[in-house]
Amino acid sequence: MVDFHSLLLIEEDQPSREFVRRALARLGYQVTVAQSGVEGIGKFAPGLFRIVITDLHLPDMGGLEVLRKIKQLSPETAVVVLSSNSQVGDVVQALRLGAADYLLKPIEDVAVIDHAICRITQGETLKQQNREYRDELERRNRELHDHVEVLQRDHQAGRLLQQHLLPRTPYQYPGGIEAAYRLVPSLYLSGDFVDYGLFGERFVAFYLVDVSGHGVSSALVTALIKHSIMHRLRERPLFTRLDALDSDLLEVLDLVNRELRSTRLDKHASMFVGAIDSGARRLHYAVAGQMPMPALVTEGAAEWLPGKGRPLGLFDRGDWQVLCAELPASWRLVACSDGVLELLRGDLLEREAHLLHAIDSSRGDLDSLCAALHVDTCEAQPDDIAILTLRQG
């Protein structure tokens, strides 16, 4: 470790040597003296002296050579050269070789020495502070990197868990009804979620939910929604009787609404929930703040389904209503979260028109629609994207 009060003075001229030594001693420095370059190099060792002061004119070797050897041994050591007015060229060369400062002989004012040494020590202190700051910054960067890695592992685990909660896609039900979806989170985890299932022998129930916000908190709410619905299904069967189908749909919306309000997570959600009666070829559905509306594709042009209802989690009741749509022998149903609209240009009406055109052009085929909207190739999505499709025939 460097002794910050230890200096090496290499000077042949005795009066000059004593003047400088006494001046340095008064400043509180311990001065080691050498009268020649060889003696000075012999006494020098890396880390032993904070500063070396050497005359450029020595009896056995040039001061520039002494400077060069010291810098080779210890590049961090500050070297001050002593020179006469006739050695200005050597001073310039010394500065190029890394000398920290120079003093012109004869030195008659100790303030000159004081000023040079103080400037070097202040510079050394600043360098030390910069090194400590850099070391601290590197340490914090390592900690941040480790923290980010932990978060990434947690997010990846959360993503795997969320994917485990999702249904299989595509899935074929009896009667020729097929359900499929595409879910693309803007971050690791998604605030969008879909689910579907067969109830009894004739009802295929499904929902698409879009929770406000992004990331972990919104994804946890989607898990809460699925858990609540599954818990209700264990308590009381839903979607098993035609005469109770509409009330079951409203019960799902009311259940999710109460869960969001009771948790006080400051989260709300839009939802499209429905049930397909494969026996009667009829779609029963309800919407809660859904945008864009679901679209039904038949032999004619694709059309938005009618309906309205307040989002979930904001009001005690959302005035939701169940609507019905007759289904032909061949049909496609497409529901999208509002993140899909972010892939399109124009105002809201123009985006909805572009989306309906893409749904119609793809005839409700999930892969074709995703390709037309560039869902899988968009590099940066500002919002989660979910597309749910059901079809028959």
Side-chain angles (χ1 to χ4, degrees):
M1 184 175 179
V2 178
D3 185 349
F4 287 100
H5 292 84
S6 180
L7 284 81
L8 174 62
L9 173 61
I10 307 173
E11 168 66 293
E12 178 194 22
D13 183 63
Q14 196 272 338
S16 175
R17 185 174 64 246
E18 282 302 308
F19 182 85
V20 174
R21 187 191 63 78
R22 287 194 299 269
L24 293 172
R26 283 195 295 268
L27 293 175
Y29 290 98
Q30 299 175 357
V31 184
T32 298
V33 175
Q35 300 182 31
S36 68
V38 172
E39 183 185 1
I41 296 299
K43 291 183 177 181
F44 178 81
L48 188 58
F49 302 101
R50 185 175 189 181
I51 301 173
V52 174
I53 302 176
T54 180
D55 191 3
L56 287 178
H57 182 70
L58 295 170
D60 52 353
M61 69 171 64
L64 293 178
E65 183 63 21
V66 173
L67 169 63
R68 188 179 291 109
K69 289 182 178 296
I70 289 175
K71 284 296 181 179
Q72 289 175 349
L73 294 171
S74 177
E76 298 298 321
T77 300
V79 179
V80 178
V81 296
L82 304 175
S83 70
S84 62
N85 289 328
S86 62
Q87 295 174 303
V88 175
D90 288 341
V91 170
V92 173
Q93 182 64 18
L95 295 175
R96 289 175 179 173
L97 291 174
D101 206 344
Y102 68 94
L103 299 175
L104 293 178
K105 298 167 57 177
I107 303 172
E108 299 176 347
D109 188 353
V110 295
V112 174
I113 300 175
D114 189 9
H115 177 72
I117 298 301
C118 287
R119 184 167 59 183
I120 291 173
T121 54
Q122 289 173 358
E124 290 294 319
T125 300
L126 181 60
K127 287 181 181 179
Q128 179 63 25
Q129 291 174 346
N130 287 339
R131 283 193 293 268
E132 292 174 355
Y133 174 77
R134 184 179 64 249
D135 292 342
E136 176 66 14
L137 185 61
E138 290 177 353
R139 184 186 66 81
R140 290 182 178 270
N141 283 338
R142 288 193 298 269
E143 291 179 352
L144 179 61
H145 177 74
D146 294 341
H147 182 63
V148 169
E149 284 191 342
V150 171
L151 287 178
Q152 288 178 339
R153 288 195 296 270
D154 288 346
H155 286 166
Q156 289 168 354
R159 186 173 187 174
L160 290 175
L161 176 60
Q162 188 176 51
Q163 290 174 343
H164 179 74
L165 295 176
L166 289 164
R168 291 168 54 187
T169 180
Y171 195 83
Q172 192 83 23
Y173 292 105
I177 297 177
E178 182 184 277
Y181 66 89
R182 190 68 51 85
L183 191 64
V184 182
S186 60
L187 301 172
Y188 278 97
L189 300 168
S190 174
D192 294 352
F193 196 80
V194 300
D195 204 2
Y196 38 74
L198 177 66
F199 297 84
E201 298 180 355
R202 58 184 289 186
F203 301 114
V204 176
F206 59 87
Y207 67 84
L208 182 151
V209 65
D210 180 358
V211 178
S212 61
H214 310 282
V216 175
S217 60
S218 298
L220 288 175
V221 174
T222 66
L224 172 65
I225 291 172
K226 169 147 188 173
H227 170 77
S228 300
I229 295 175
M230 296 303 295
H231 183 70
R232 178 57 55 89
L233 288 171
R234 288 192 295 269
E235 290 182 338
R236 185 178 74 80
L238 300 175
F239 311 118
T240 57
R241 296 178 15 238
L242 179 60
D243 61 347
L245 209 57
D246 292 359
S247 61
D248 290 344
L249 292 173
L250 293 177
E251 185 174 345
V252 169
L253 290 177
D254 184 65
L255 171 65
V256 175
N257 186 62
R258 283 187 286 106
E259 288 284 5
L260 290 177
R261 289 179 60 77
S262 65
T263 55
R264 298 182 179 180
L265 294 174
D266 194 26
K267 293 288 185 180
H268 62 275
S270 62
M271 192 170 188
F272 170 49
V273 58
I276 298 170
D277 182 353
S278 60
R281 291 190 180 278
R282 181 176 295 173
L283 167 67
H284 299 250
Y285 70 93
V287 294
Q290 177 66 27
M291 184 184 71
M293 287 296 293
L296 183 62
V297 183
T298 58
E299 291 183 357
E303 295 182 348
W304 297 124
L305 291 175
K308 63 179 181 179
R310 291 175 175 176
L312 306 173
L314 297 177
F315 309 96
D316 288 334
R317 295 194 59 80
D319 298 328
W320 309 293
Q321 55 182 294
V322 177
L323 300 175
C324 293
E326 300 297 328
L327 300 174
S330 178
W331 54 269
R332 305 288 188 274
L333 179 63
V334 180
C336 305
S337 64
D338 61 1
V340 172
L341 296 176
E342 299 294 335
L343 302 175
L344 304 169
R345 296 182 179 180
D347 58 29
L348 179 58
L349 292 178
E350 290 172 333
R351 294 182 183 192
E352 288 183 330
H354 291 323
L355 177 59
L356 186 61
H357 176 73
I359 293 173
D360 186 55
S361 299
S362 67
R363 305 309 296 163
D365 178 74
L366 179 61
D367 291 335
S368 299
L369 178 59
C370 289
L373 297 175
H374 306 288
V375 170
D376 300 317
T377 57
C378 181
E379 294 184 357
Q381 293 103 356
D383 197 1
D384 302 321
I385 294 174
I387 302 177
L388 169 66
T389 64
L390 294 103
R391 68 180 185 178
Q392 186 178 34

